[in-house]
Amino acid sequence: MSDLITLLRGQRVLPVLRLPTAAEATAATATMFGHGLRVVELTATTPNWASAVRDARRGAPDGTLVGLGTVTSGALAAQAVEAGAQFLVSPWPAPDVRAVAASAGLPFLEGAFTPGEVAAAAARGPVKVFPAHVSGPAFLASLRQLLPDADLIPTGGVALEAVPDWLRAGACAVGVGSDLLRPGAADRLRSLLAAFEDAGEETP
């Protein structure tokens, strides 16, 4: 788990790649790695996602991680492990997925939204706060006041331009989807993070 969190803290964003085909998902993963990111989340809503995971792993540089998100059942989690996913992500509390991840020795980002759900998940590991766009950075900041040591990763409807706001609110990293696939996104992300760091700002 520590390797995943260390990498996420370093890159500040978690690409969440939800694409129409496995081939597009594999290509997008390669693009993310080409831009210097080290952790990528594919999703189980992509058709033939298992092929995408296998192909993405096959072409991944050393020291990178390919995980699978939208894992909602133990059976799906087991399939993800078989396909070679290196971490699992659920959109909500998912004990069955948690059990499979633990058995396989894989990191698990458990989804949560309410304060009670977030607190329960944070007691076990990093938390995917979803859907983030419903609550906003102020909600995350409130959660951080109650859970100062929690690794919170807001995801869902987050625009690239909003990443610094979420980091200021205390996010460990920020899940970003389609905005990362737009032309010029990598340069814009580097610019945003450079400005964030030049201002002397750090995640709490």
Side-chain angles (χ1 to χ4, degrees), residues 2 22 35 42 51 60 71 75 77 80 96-97 103 109 130 132 160 171 184-185 189 200:
S2 59
H35 289 316
L42 301 179
S51 294
V71 182
D96 291 349
V97 178
S103 178
L109 307 184
F130 176 85
L160 195 57
L189 175 61

Side-chain angles (χ1 to χ4, degrees), residues 142-157:
S142 295
L143 291 174
R144 285 283 302 182
Q145 290 178 357
L146 299 173
L147 301 163
D149 297 323
D151 291 314
L152 305 180
I153 304 167
T155 306

Side-chain angles (χ1 to χ4, degrees), residues 183-197:
D187 289 339
R188 184 58 187 147
L189 175 61
R190 279 191 285 268
S191 176
L192 288 167
L193 294 182
F196 176 81
E197 291 163 6

